[in-house]
Amino acid sequence: MSSGLFALLDDVALIARTAAASLDDVAAATMKAGSKSMGIIIDDAAVTPKYVLGFMADRELPIIRKIGIGSLRNKILVLLPAALALSFLAPWAITPLLMLGGLYLAYEGAEKIVEVVLGHGHEAKKKVVLDEESTVRGAIRTDFILSAEIMALTLSSVSELPFVTQAAVLGVVGVFITFLVYGAVAIIVKADDFGAALAARGPDGFVPGFGRALVKGMPYVLKLLSIVGTAAMLWVSGGILVHGLENYHISRPEHVVEEARHWVLAHAPVLQDALGWLTGAAIMGVIGLAVGVILVAILSVLPLKSRAH
């Protein structure tokens, strides 16, 4: 009787250890996938506040909530099953799809830089559409592309793990990133209102002064977020393309990045690890920018050719 009890306790302990190890695997893979997706996350958080421009203040949070719910639906109900089906039925397709996403990110990042350098943008896009439902639908469509790239990056990080672990990581990443992005967007959007409320407490004092600084500083925060998000998109896209080429035995770009990083590690007098990482990220970003500029040039010429015919 006692031996049976001890055997049962051993089985329970084994199951507990296995479950703990699985949770550790999920947590580690989630952190890895989240770090790979950081560029897309920052860009998403920087871009989303534009969707509430022109609406009444009391509609800002409801609009963001609708977009967030749509984003979560995209990830959990559509992209997660699609990613798992892809992993199970056609794992060979993960790398080319990921590289297509990398090309898209390179194009998006380069297009923003080209518009700034040339001093013009897409004038039609500057018009604010004040129809709430259309705005939400458009934001969710844009989010779908970014969410697909996040899920593809996540899948590439866990493709060697068991199927159940893949599903768990994809689900955790989808939920966590959605709450992270749209929670941050809600704070950004309402920060100026919060600052205005603090500023209204009086003409003098630290609290009103902080409120006025917050109101004045938020446009610069949004601009900084946009710059960081663009740089991160180019870095992520360059990394995706370089690693994808490595999978197809085109290893020279990867070797160039590693050689530059190791040179910095060997010669930098201080902060070798940080400077080595920055060197690799900078080269990846330059690669992403170069590819993106080429794509922008090609896609800007194609409509002209089609009109010529």
Side-chain angles (χ1 to χ4, degrees):
M1 193 67 179
S2 60
S3 62
L5 178 60
F6 284 126
L8 178 61
L9 291 175
D10 284 341
D11 290 342
V12 172
L14 178 61
I15 292 171
R17 285 195 298 270
T18 303
S22 297
L23 289 175
D24 286 342
D25 290 341
V26 170
T30 299
M31 291 299 294
K32 181 180 178 182
S35 64
K36 279 188 172 184
S37 305
M38 193 53 63
I40 307 171
I41 295 169
I42 295 172
D43 188 68
D44 204 0
V47 168
T48 303
K50 75 177 183 181
Y51 291 109
V52 298
L53 292 177
F55 288 96
M56 299 294 291
D58 62 345
R59 295 307 306 159
E60 291 175 344
L61 290 182
I63 290 171
I64 292 169
R65 184 175 64 249
K66 288 180 181 180
I67 298 171
I69 291 171
S71 174
L72 192 61
R73 191 182 299 117
N74 283 342
K75 293 183 181 75
I76 302 303
L77 299 183
V78 179
L79 294 170
L80 190 153
L84 291 176
L86 186 67
S87 176
F88 185 73
L89 299 174
W92 55 267
I94 295 174
T95 296
L97 287 175
L98 198 58
M99 292 183 73
L100 284 175
L103 292 173
Y104 169 78
L105 291 177
Y107 172 80
E108 285 288 302
E111 186 183 39
K112 293 178 182 180
I113 293 176
V114 168
E115 288 179 359
V116 171
V117 171
L118 296 181
H120 65 80
H122 298 295
E123 302 300 329
K125 290 183 179 179
K126 293 182 179 179
K127 184 179 179 181
V128 178
V129 180
L130 294 180
D131 176 51
E132 184 172 318
E133 293 304 316
S134 297
T135 299
V136 170
R137 286 196 299 270
I140 292 173
R141 282 195 299 270
T142 300
D143 175 89
F144 184 87
I145 298 172
L146 296 175
S147 294
E149 188 64 16
I150 289 170
M151 298 301 269
L153 279 168
T154 303
L155 184 61
S156 71
S157 301
V158 300
S159 58
E160 303 300 323
L161 296 178
F163 186 80
V164 173
T165 305
Q166 291 183 27
V169 172
L170 286 166
V172 171
V173 166
V175 173
F176 174 74
I177 286 180
T178 301
F179 278 96
L180 176 65
V181 168
Y182 291 98
V185 169
I187 293 172
I188 291 169
V189 165
K190 302 307 292 183
D192 54 351
D193 291 341
F194 179 66
L198 294 179
R201 293 191 174 187
D204 301 314
F206 172 78
V207 172
F210 176 74
R212 288 189 290 272
L214 193 59
V215 172
K216 292 179 180 178
M218 281 313 297
Y220 299 101
V221 171
L222 288 172
K223 186 174 291 185
L224 178 61
L225 267 177
S226 180
I227 293 171
V228 172
T230 300
M233 283 176 73
L234 293 172
W235 158 55
V236 171
S237 67
I240 291 171
L241 297 173
V242 168
H243 296 318
L245 291 174
E246 175 81 10
N247 288 337
Y248 292 112
H249 309 293
I250 303 173
S251 57
R252 185 56 189 164
E254 181 83 23
H255 289 165
V256 169
V257 174
E258 286 302 310
E259 287 167 6
R261 193 175 67 84
H262 287 306
W263 188 91
V264 171
L265 287 172
H267 293 86
V270 293
L271 301 174
Q272 290 88 350
D273 290 339
L275 292 174
W277 181 87
L278 283 173
T279 299
I283 295 173
M284 296 290 193
V286 170
I287 292 172
L289 177 59
V291 172
V293 168
I294 293 171
L295 290 173
V296 170
I298 292 172
L299 293 177
S300 65
V301 170
L302 286 179
L304 295 175
K305 288 186 176 179
S306 65
R307 286 197 297 269
H309 291 293

